[in-house]
Amino acid sequence: MRAADPDFVTPTGEVFTRTHVGVPQVDAATWSLTVEGLVAHPLRLDLESLHALPATRLTAFHECFGSPFAPDVPVRAVANVRWLGVPLARLLDDAAPHADAAHIWFEGVDHGTFHGTPDVRYLKDLPLETAYRDVLLAYAMNGAPLEPVHGFPVRAVVPRMFGTNSVKWLRRIVVSDTRPDHLFTTQLYNRRQPGSERLQPVREVDVNSVLVAPREEGELAAGVLEMGGWAWSVTEVVAVEIAVNEGPWEAARLDERGPEPTWQRFTLSRRFEPGRHRIRCRAHDRAGRVQPGPGSRNSVQEIVVQVRDRAPRGSSARTDAGPR
């Protein structure tokens, strides 16, 4: 892992934003978060009370699943973010879930009409054991308070899972013995995994990679070119390969992931002659998964570049493997 790489953490202004019913305007002075349901000690915390609890820092990749109506369409919206907040486990310990509790519901402030359903709130759920182990209640992002578009004042962050599970503008946490029957839980954001006919909630991310250098449809000078990008998965990525045109897959140099669920940088240098070139990348993770071909949301990415016999006017032959 090269955490000192200036592109390792995505600047806040370049992190993708997604909403279902718009960005709510939340008054921090009146906002509160409740923990209720099957608990012995229901909680209500204002922002000051949450900030007073011991904080945890987490650096993790954050990936958008894409449209729930097109679950197999590649989106490639991903960032690597530094979060600050309170582990949900701390609040659950204080609330003391009942013995029959098995699920956590996250409810956001945002509500409105979506897919023909009026006045619906954004709601997601997770198994209780996952909530205890992984969830961070984040109030800061990349060293600054959350911006409204990213979930101010508090959002859930669920590492290794698609962003749809990291509920923004969080207002209510319900401990339950069942999953909620809701638009965003049982009707949308479900998919069939390869080899299975059973619909499953969109949760754990797929193995994936993205080329960020050279740029798509870029014009480059002939010579040695460094190709590079980022790879990520629910577990560590152990190999990334790059193929140029119809050539063989070649192993790229891959940074180790380290103890946190971050993305991993990969690079490969190769000499390019003038002409139009097709570049592809694919990642392998420790679970034995490999990025598939066309037809899947994490299908192998392909870009096309044009190589000239000399540097195009006003440009440099050097490429930058920074975030898109």
Side-chain angles (χ1 to χ4, degrees):
M1 177 181 68
R2 289 190 288 176
D5 188 322
D7 299 320
F8 182 71
V9 172
T10 308
T12 299
E14 297 182 20
V15 176
F16 64 87
T17 60
R18 300 288 188 271
T19 65
H20 292 81
V21 290
V23 178
Q25 298 303 306
V26 182
D27 183 353
T30 60
W31 173 90
S32 66
L33 174 67
T34 62
V35 181
E36 55 191 91
L38 299 180
V39 296
H41 310 292
L43 305 177
R44 181 181 294 273
L45 296 90
D46 59 18
L47 195 56
E48 183 178 359
S49 299
L50 191 67
H51 284 187
L53 296 175
T56 295
R57 287 178 168 81
L58 171 71
T59 303
F61 68 81
H62 181 56
E63 183 185 6
C64 174
F65 177 75
S67 170
F69 309 109
D72 294 324
V73 175
V75 176
R76 309 192 200 283
V78 63
N80 201 47
V81 180
R82 287 195 172 109
W83 304 101
L84 177 69
V86 176
L88 176 56
R90 168 60 190 268
L91 272 61
L92 292 175
D93 284 343
D94 290 345
H98 294 175
D100 57 343
H103 303 270
I104 291 287
W105 305 1
F106 296 117
E107 183 182 281
V109 171
D110 49 328
H111 64 97
T113 298
F114 187 80
H115 193 49
T117 302
D119 198 30
V120 61
R121 288 194 181 274
Y122 193 71
L123 182 78
K124 298 296 292 187
D125 70 294
L126 290 173
L128 180 61
E129 61 180 350
T130 301
Y132 258 111
R133 182 181 65 243
D134 290 336
V135 177
L136 185 71
L137 304 179
Y139 48 76
M141 176 181 180
N142 291 343
L146 286 174
E147 297 179 357
V149 74
H150 291 298
F152 175 85
V154 174
R155 67 176 294 163
V157 173
V158 190
R160 307 176 188 87
M161 292 194 181
F162 287 108
T164 180
N165 298 284
S166 293
V167 176
K168 299 187 285 292
W169 312 294
L170 194 61
R171 66 183 289 267
R172 186 167 172 252
I173 298 172
V174 179
V175 180
S176 176
D177 57 351
T178 62
R179 293 194 67 205
D181 184 10
H182 189 271
L183 178 66
F184 295 114
T185 59
T186 55
Q187 299 176 48
L188 299 179
Y189 288 111
N190 294 280
R191 64 172 176 167
R192 292 179 175 86
Q193 295 283 13
S196 174
E197 291 300 314
R198 184 168 63 91
L199 280 174
Q200 300 177 16
V202 167
R203 287 181 178 157
E204 292 186 345
V205 302
D206 305 308
V207 59
N208 215 332
S209 62
V210 60
L211 284 160
V212 294
R215 302 290 184 178
E216 173 77 9
E217 298 296 344
E219 289 194 7
L220 306 159
V224 176
L225 169 68
E226 182 179 86
M227 300 167 285
W230 302 102
W232 64 96
S233 181
V234 67
T235 185
E236 184 180 13
V237 173
V238 295
V240 175
E241 299 169 298
I242 295 177
V244 178
N245 299 323
E246 302 307 317
W249 290 103
E250 302 177 59
R253 179 187 181 278
L254 176 66
D255 291 351
E256 294 181 359
R257 187 170 77 173
E260 294 185 297
T262 63
W263 62 15
Q264 297 164 246
R265 183 170 182 168
F266 63 89
T267 56
L268 177 67
S269 295
R270 189 180 186 279
R271 179 171 293 278
F272 280 76
E273 300 299 329
R276 185 175 182 272
H277 298 277
R278 182 168 64 108
I279 306 174
R280 293 168 291 154
C281 65
R282 69 181 182 187
H284 304 239
D285 71 10
R286 192 167 294 283
R289 302 185 303 174
V290 184
Q291 275 184 264
S296 299
R297 67 162 307 283
N298 63 325
S299 60
V300 169
Q301 184 199 18
E302 177 180 312
I303 67 170
V304 174
V305 296
Q306 189 70 37
V307 176
R308 306 294 185 187
D309 58 3
R310 58 186 177 85
R313 182 176 299 176
S315 69
S316 168
R318 181 182 179 276
T319 60
D320 177 15
R324 296 186 302 166

